[in-house]
């Protein structure tokens, strides 16, 4: 079982849209996928048409793997399950803080799911907190959506430096440009130059497209309701790059 996460300290950069679409593409490739919505805003839960409710709330969830297992719901898509968010997840930090080794808790809770899933995708809330730190400790690959500005690259370097201080397992960081606007010269310049210069920046960029906003209307991944759209093709390109980094995500032979 591999663990992927979308993370950025900044809000509204495309973390959830990416988590939902790549989870769908992985499930379509035949991987058994669990998308875990760790954000009390419950956007991923909404997009997959699941009720944002966990029996016993965040408190039950961090108690043990059995409680976590009981909270998992199916979605409309084969091979894709969801751990819904619950509004009590706003207190997840406090709940984690009360445990032993809080930053390792999430990894420990997820480990027993290895028999049921090939991939767990963590959709992280914005900010830097115990929840996000736990996500960084649990993940094999962290996907970081960035808007192409010099400042957001500084944030990426801060994240990489933070992770390099971890002892034990460190996730691989793969940043990608998100919500790029081809009409902006700076966006074009940065999205072409950076992937060539840095191996932690993906070649695929996700453009700003109203089709992606439509996900909230359709309540489905754009890769499912408009598979031939430019938006879906961009996510497919990003997924192929993630698979190139982690061959175990290639799925069973057809
Ligand atoms: N490439 C894109 N083009 C246009 N709109 C996008 C794109 N990606 C995301 N959006 C829209 O922007 C909003 C924020 O996206 P999303 O929820 O994926 O970001 P987020 O980083 O998860 O936000 P938060 O930090 O609040 O969790 C949503 O309304 C979404 O539909
Ligand atoms: Mg989000």
């Amino acid at each position: 079982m591999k663990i992927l996460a979308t993370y950025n300290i900044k809000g509204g950069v495309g973390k959830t849209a990416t988590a939902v679409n790549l989870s769908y593409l992985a499930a379509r490739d035949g991987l058994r996928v669990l998308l875990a919505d760790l954000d009390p805003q419950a956007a991923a839960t909404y997009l997959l048409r699941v009720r944002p409710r966990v029996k016993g709330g965040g408190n039950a969830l961090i108690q043990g793997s059995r409680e976590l297992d009981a909270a998992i719901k199916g979605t409309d898509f084969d091979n894709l399950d969801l751990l819904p968010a619950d509004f009590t997840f706003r207190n997840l930090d406090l709940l984690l803080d009360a445990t032993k080794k809080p930053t390792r808790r999430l990894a420990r809770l997820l480990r027993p799911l290895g028999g049921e899933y090939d991939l767990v995708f963590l959709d992280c809330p914005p900010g830097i907190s115990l929840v996000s730190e736990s996500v960084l400790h649990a993940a094999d690959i962290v996907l970081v959506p960035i808007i192409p500005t010099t400042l957001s690259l500084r944030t990426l370097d801060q994240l990489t430096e933070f992770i390099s201080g971890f002892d034990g397992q460190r996730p691989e960081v793969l940043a990608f440009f998100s919500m790029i606007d081809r009409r902006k010269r700076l966006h074009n310049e940065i999205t072409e130059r950076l992937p060539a210069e840095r191996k932690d920046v993906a070649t695929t960029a996700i453009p700003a497209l109203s089709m992606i906003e439509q996900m909230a209307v359709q309540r489905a991944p754009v890769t499912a309701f408009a598979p031939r759209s430019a938006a879906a093709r961009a996510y497919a390109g990003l997924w192929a790059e993630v698979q190139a980094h982690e061959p175990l995500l290639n799925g069973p032979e057809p």
Side-chain angles (χ1 to χ4, degrees):
M1 181 179 82
K2 289 289 163 188
I3 302 180
L4 297 185
T6 42
Y7 172 73
N8 194 316
I9 193 164
K10 290 185 205 301
V13 292
K15 296 184 292 296
T16 299
T18 304
V20 167
N21 282 296
L22 298 201
S23 294
Y24 170 78
L25 290 174
R28 204 203 50 189
D29 280 354
L31 297 174
R32 297 164 300 164
V33 183
L34 173 67
L35 172 58
D37 186 355
L38 301 175
D39 186 343
Q41 294 178 98
T45 304
Y46 180 85
L47 291 174
L48 290 174
R49 300 173 179 258
V50 174
R51 206 161 71 100
R53 170 115 174 83
V54 168
K55 202 165 158 235
N59 192 31
L61 203 71
I62 66 150
Q63 292 313 314
S65 305
R66 200 173 334 122
E67 285 81 356
L68 188 146
D69 215 43
I72 293 172
K73 298 280 187 278
T75 68
D76 295 342
F77 305 106
D78 287 346
N79 295 331
L80 179 57
D81 287 349
L82 179 83
L83 175 70
D86 183 286
F87 195 54
T88 60
F89 285 12
R90 68 191 187 281
N91 298 322
L92 226 42
D93 271 335
L94 295 170
L95 294 165
L96 280 172
D97 200 31
T99 65
K100 272 186 276 170
K101 297 198 185 158
T103 58
R104 306 305 162 101
R105 185 80 178 188
L106 185 62
R108 240 184 62 199
L109 286 169
L110 295 174
R111 209 170 297 138
L113 296 175
E116 283 167 72
Y117 296 103
D118 303 306
L119 169 64
V120 176
F121 210 122
L122 305 170
D123 185 27
C124 200
I128 178 83
S129 61
L130 264 181
V131 173
S132 40
E133 227 179 293
S134 310
V135 165
L136 297 176
H137 277 283
D140 295 293
I141 303 180
V142 181
L143 299 172
V144 185
I146 48 179
I147 316 281
T149 67
T150 318
L151 266 180
S152 47
L153 285 165
R154 262 199 73 234
T155 318
L156 177 64
D157 290 330
Q158 284 170 342
L159 175 68
T160 308
E161 198 178 305
F162 180 61
I163 289 172
S164 69
F166 287 8
D167 42 71
Q169 192 196 304
R170 296 188 194 99
E172 188 182 341
V173 173
L174 184 62
F176 65 95
F177 292 110
S178 181
M179 298 182 175
I180 62 159
D181 182 349
R182 288 283 176 211
R183 290 167 305 182
K184 291 186 178 159
R185 201 159 59 94
L186 181 71
H187 280 203
N188 284 321
E189 195 266 319
I190 293 183
T191 52
E192 269 153 46
R193 181 168 52 85
L194 263 293
E197 281 178 12
R198 298 179 57 140
K199 89 178 191 340
D200 61 345
V201 179
T203 314
T204 307
I206 309 292
L209 293 165
S210 51
M211 193 63 113
I212 295 175
E213 290 173 66
Q214 278 294 315
M215 284 174 52
V217 179
Q218 304 275 343
R219 294 187 72 182
V222 66
T223 38
F225 72 76
R228 275 183 284 275
S229 62
R233 278 185 277 125
Y235 285 117
L238 184 60
W239 176 235
E241 274 194 71
V242 174
Q243 287 176 312
H245 275 257
E246 182 44 78
L248 283 177
L249 295 174
N250 279 316
E253 294 293 320

